[in-house]
Amino acid sequence: MKKNGLKGSGWLFASPYLFYALVFFLIPLVWSFYLALTDWNLISPVYNFIGLDNFIEAVKHPGVQAAFFVTFKFMAAFVPMVIVSSLTVALVINSLPRFKGLFLIGFFLPYLASGVVSSLIVKGLLSYNSPLNTFLRGTFGLDIDWLNSPLSALLVVAGIIAWKFTGYYALILTAGFASISKEVYEAAAIDGVTPSQQFFRITLPLLYPALFTTLILSIGVSFGIFTEVYQLTGGGPNYATNTWQMEIFKQAFTNLNAGYASAVAIIASIVTFVAILLIRKLLEVWGRRNGWV
């Protein structure tokens, strides 16, 4: 009887989350699968069953094809950018004798900033008559159209997101640094190991759990970019920054094609799951070599 009571109380304590998952995850997931098989336009009460037509059309659509490749382009730009910056911040903070928490809070604050606000500020800074562009034209003769060039637009968006997440990931990496025993470095110094060798052969391998977490999180962010793209480029120029979320939004709320947008969302979910799974396996190979997995 006592065991049954404990089981009952466990379900009771878990019920708020289970109810939340049911209402906001499971039901919408099932509903999206149903919508993907219809031609619902977000307004009409009629749902015409069309089978897999939405999926077939989505695979052929240039916007969806662009979203697939743009996501990996963002990943190639954003992930190294944010990992290097957060690792640098964590190294600097870890070397401080005092006030580490204060500096961590300072770097963490951008994570709390609104993506809309930061995007609008950057849009103003990169406008044609902004002080930055005026200086570049007057001093170096450079006339850069930051948001209408495919490469620069992608790098600007990746840079904003990297700035936002650097403090958050630095917090995780700082905790990883704190878990590394100082005796390891003292033994390495006695053996004549140089600082660069310590970093690559001691610090990075021992920092694997924290690096694994930040890498997986940053890769997940690459598949969920929307706010900055919506505010700055709208997916342009010529689909150069058209992410999965941007394509879903345009199809659902601009073109009023909710059934098709649901199909795109399902395809995006499958691509995200498979990509993160493969990358995770590759990271585990590195961890296995260093005795973590």
Side-chain angles (χ1 to χ4, degrees):
M1 293 294 293
K2 192 173 183 181
K3 288 184 178 180
N4 291 332
L6 289 173
K7 288 181 180 179
S9 62
W11 282 106
L12 179 64
F13 285 119
S15 60
Y17 174 77
L18 294 174
F19 178 76
Y20 174 84
L22 175 68
V23 174
F24 294 102
F25 289 98
L26 184 59
I27 294 176
L29 179 63
V30 175
W31 183 244
S32 65
F33 271 102
Y34 171 71
L35 287 181
L37 302 175
T38 70
D39 63 351
W40 188 48
N41 63 3
L42 206 65
I43 298 174
S44 173
V46 179
Y47 299 79
N48 295 316
F49 183 81
I50 60 173
L52 299 176
D53 289 357
N54 284 328
F55 292 94
I56 296 171
E57 183 182 349
V59 172
K60 297 178 181 178
H61 195 276
V64 174
Q65 293 174 358
F68 177 84
F69 291 106
V70 165
T71 298
F72 290 101
K73 289 178 182 178
F74 268 121
M75 189 188 300
F78 164 68
V79 173
M81 198 182 295
V82 74
I83 293 299
V84 170
S85 59
S86 58
L87 189 57
T88 302
V89 169
L91 279 168
V92 172
I93 291 176
N94 189 62
S95 65
L96 295 175
R98 292 184 298 174
F99 306 115
K100 293 182 181 181
L102 182 64
F103 283 98
L104 270 175
I105 292 172
F107 283 106
F108 183 76
L109 287 176
Y111 179 72
L112 304 177
S114 167
V116 174
V117 174
S118 57
S119 298
L120 291 175
I121 291 173
V122 170
K123 193 172 185 178
L125 290 173
L126 299 180
S127 64
Y128 182 80
N129 292 321
S130 68
L132 173 63
N133 280 328
T134 302
F135 171 76
L136 291 175
R137 284 195 302 272
T139 306
F140 302 104
L142 297 175
D143 190 6
I144 304 174
D145 194 354
W146 296 95
L147 300 178
N148 283 318
S149 169
L151 179 60
S152 61
L154 190 142
L155 291 176
V156 166
V157 174
I160 296 173
I161 303 172
W163 166 79
K164 183 175 181 177
F165 281 89
T166 290
Y168 175 39
Y169 296 158
L171 186 65
I172 298 172
L173 293 173
T174 302
F177 278 117
S179 67
I180 301 176
S181 174
K182 292 182 179 179
E183 295 177 356
V184 178
Y185 294 107
E186 291 173 356
I190 293 173
D191 291 336
V193 179
T194 64
S196 61
Q197 290 175 329
Q198 285 185 15
F199 179 76
F200 288 105
R201 297 190 178 186
I202 298 175
T203 303
L204 287 183
L206 292 178
L207 203 62
Y208 171 78
L211 279 173
F212 179 87
T213 302
T214 53
L215 281 166
I216 293 298
L217 288 174
S218 60
I219 290 164
V221 168
S222 302
F223 285 93
I225 297 172
F226 173 73
T227 303
E228 292 77 11
V229 169
Y230 178 76
Q231 290 292 332
L232 293 174
T233 65
N238 194 27
Y239 292 123
T241 57
N242 193 57
T243 61
W244 287 112
Q245 279 65 30
M246 194 68 221
E247 183 65 22
I248 294 166
F249 176 84
K250 286 189 293 187
Q251 295 297 336
F253 300 106
T254 303
N255 299 338
L256 298 181
N257 196 345
Y260 177 79
S262 297
V264 175
I266 292 170
I267 294 172
S269 300
I270 294 171
V271 171
T272 303
F273 175 79
V274 172
I276 292 179
L277 181 64
L278 291 176
I279 293 171
R280 177 184 173 181
K281 293 296 182 182
L282 291 175
L283 291 174
E284 288 176 351
V285 171
W286 176 47
R288 193 174 295 109
R289 289 179 179 176
N290 292 286
W292 286 104
V293 180

